[in-house]
């Protein structure tokens, strides 16, 4: 399935558009995956980083009280940190902190996938270009195009992390589990 989804993204003239269409179709099914381990297995095995970004972006947009119209960028990922609630409906008696832990796990996965699509290596941005156009971009040694929202400061990050911590403390009303602090450090 993952290989077929990756090919479906790649063969389109606009991988960005095809990944949006495929993510729109997949998203309701992701919402109905009952166990965290199954959701993580599905998301972690996605071969297309671009498709993973789109699915996770939809997941976070769904969990925000006030969805944003920002394009996917580092600023939007920080927005998700500040405005997302527990992502999915749980059928079992999962502790609240474990739900937030899952949200932070997916936010880190979104950040890593986004970096792979945009920032990680010189030809990464070409994942959003068609296969035919990629060769020209590679030959021209074109630089990746950053989004306007990719210019964030360390202060922006620190403020959003502190805001998240205070929100978590209000919700949990107990000491922070170590796993949450580790994920926040990793995300930072």
């Amino acid at each position: 399935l993952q290989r077929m989804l990756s090919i479906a993204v790649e063969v389109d003239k606009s991988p960005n558009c095809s990944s949006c269409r495929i993510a729109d179709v997949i998203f309701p099914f992701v919402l109905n995956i009952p166990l965290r381990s199954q959701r993580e297995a599905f998301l972690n095995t996605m071969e297309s980083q671009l498709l993973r970004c789109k699915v996770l972006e939809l997941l976070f947009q769904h969990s925000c009280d006030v969805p944003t119209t920002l394009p996917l960028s580092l600023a939007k990922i920080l927005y998700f940190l500040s405005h997302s609630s527990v992502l999915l409906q749980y059928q079992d008696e999962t502790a609240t902190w474990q739900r937030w832990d899952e949200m932070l796990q997916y936010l880190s996965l979104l950040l890593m996938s986004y970096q792979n699509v945009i920032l990680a290596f010189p030809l990464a941005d070409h994942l959003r270009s068609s296969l035919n156009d990629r060769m020209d971009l590679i030959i021209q040694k074109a630089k990746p195009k950053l989004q306007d929202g990719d210019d964030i400061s360390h202060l922006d990050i620190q403020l959003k992390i502190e805001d998240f911590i205070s929100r978590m403390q209000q919700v949990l009303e107990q000491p922070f589990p170590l796993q949450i602090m580790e994920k926040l450090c990793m995300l930072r």
Side-chain angles (χ1 to χ4, degrees), residues 70-84:
L70 291 170
L72 186 57
S73 62
L74 296 176
K76 188 170 192 174
I77 293 171
L78 282 179
Y79 180 88
F80 289 151
L81 179 65
S82 296
H83 294 87
S84 291

Side-chain angles (χ1 to χ4, degrees), residues 57-138:
E57 182 180 10
L58 285 174
L59 200 58
F60 280 103
Q61 283 283 62
H62 176 74
S63 75
C64 287
D65 293 333
V66 181
T68 178
T69 58
L70 291 170
L72 186 57
S73 62
L74 296 176
K76 188 170 192 174
I77 293 171
L78 282 179
Y79 180 88
F80 289 151
L81 179 65
S82 296
H83 294 87
S84 291
S85 59
V86 174
L87 289 174
L88 303 163
Q89 298 299 318
Y90 289 79
Q91 297 174 351
D92 57 0
E93 295 298 317
T94 304
T96 302
W97 75 265
Q98 290 174 315
R99 296 174 185 195
W100 287 95
D101 181 65
E102 183 178 10
M103 194 253 331
L104 287 174
Q105 177 72 26
Y106 294 155
L107 198 60
S108 295
L109 187 59
L110 175 60
L111 179 61
M112 289 185 294
S113 297
Y114 179 71
Q115 287 178 326
N116 284 333
V117 170
I118 301 294
L119 305 170
F121 47 92
L123 306 176
D125 188 48
H126 309 320
L127 292 177
R128 295 192 289 178
S129 305
S130 69
L131 285 172
N132 293 337
D133 295 341
R134 260 186 235 171
M135 286 310 294
D136 294 336
L137 293 170
I138 291 169

Side-chain angles (χ1 to χ4, degrees), residues 2-186:
Q2 296 294 9
R3 185 71 188 132
M4 287 172 28
L5 291 173
S6 180
I7 290 170
V9 169
E10 291 292 324
V11 297
D12 197 279
K13 181 157 176 58
S14 173
N16 210 31
C17 290
S18 63
S19 63
C20 286
R21 286 191 307 263
I22 294 169
D24 286 340
V25 171
I26 291 174
F27 179 65
F29 297 104
V30 173
L31 283 180
N32 289 316
I33 297 175
L35 298 175
R36 177 180 179 173
S37 60
Q38 293 170 332
R39 287 187 292 270
E40 286 181 357
F42 178 75
L43 292 167
N44 287 330
T45 59
M46 289 187 107
E47 290 184 18
S48 172
Q49 297 289 328
L50 186 58
L51 182 58
R52 181 185 299 153
C53 280
K54 298 296 181 182
V55 170
L56 287 168
E57 182 180 10
L58 285 174
L59 200 58
F60 280 103
Q61 283 283 62
H62 176 74
S63 75
C64 287
D65 293 333
V66 181
T68 178
T69 58
L70 291 170
L72 186 57
S73 62
L74 296 176
K76 188 170 192 174
I77 293 171
L78 282 179
Y79 180 88
F80 289 151
L81 179 65
S82 296
H83 294 87
S84 291
S85 59
V86 174
L87 289 174
L88 303 163
Q89 298 299 318
Y90 289 79
Q91 297 174 351
D92 57 0
E93 295 298 317
T94 304
T96 302
W97 75 265
Q98 290 174 315
R99 296 174 185 195
W100 287 95
D101 181 65
E102 183 178 10
M103 194 253 331
L104 287 174
Q105 177 72 26
Y106 294 155
L107 198 60
S108 295
L109 187 59
L110 175 60
L111 179 61
M112 289 185 294
S113 297
Y114 179 71
Q115 287 178 326
N116 284 333
V117 170
I118 301 294
L119 305 170
F121 47 92
L123 306 176
D125 188 48
H126 309 320
L127 292 177
R128 295 192 289 178
S129 305
S130 69
L131 285 172
N132 293 337
D133 295 341
R134 260 186 235 171
M135 286 310 294
D136 294 336
L137 293 170
I138 291 169
I139 290 167
Q140 296 168 8
K141 297 180 181 175
K143 299 276 188 220
K145 297 174 198 146
L146 298 179
Q147 302 287 336
D148 290 337
D150 287 334
D151 188 24
I152 58 173
S153 69
H154 290 290
L155 180 60
D156 294 332
I157 296 167
Q158 187 61 34
L159 291 174
K160 297 294 184 183
I161 297 272
E162 288 172 6
D163 178 52
F164 178 79
I165 290 172
S166 67
R167 197 163 49 114
M168 282 283 301
Q169 287 172 334
Q170 289 175 351
V171 170
L172 292 179
E173 299 175 349
Q174 64 185 20
F176 259 41
L178 182 60
Q179 293 93 326
I180 297 281
M181 292 310 293
E182 287 173 352
K183 285 201 173 58
L184 281 173
C185 288
M186 183 177 76

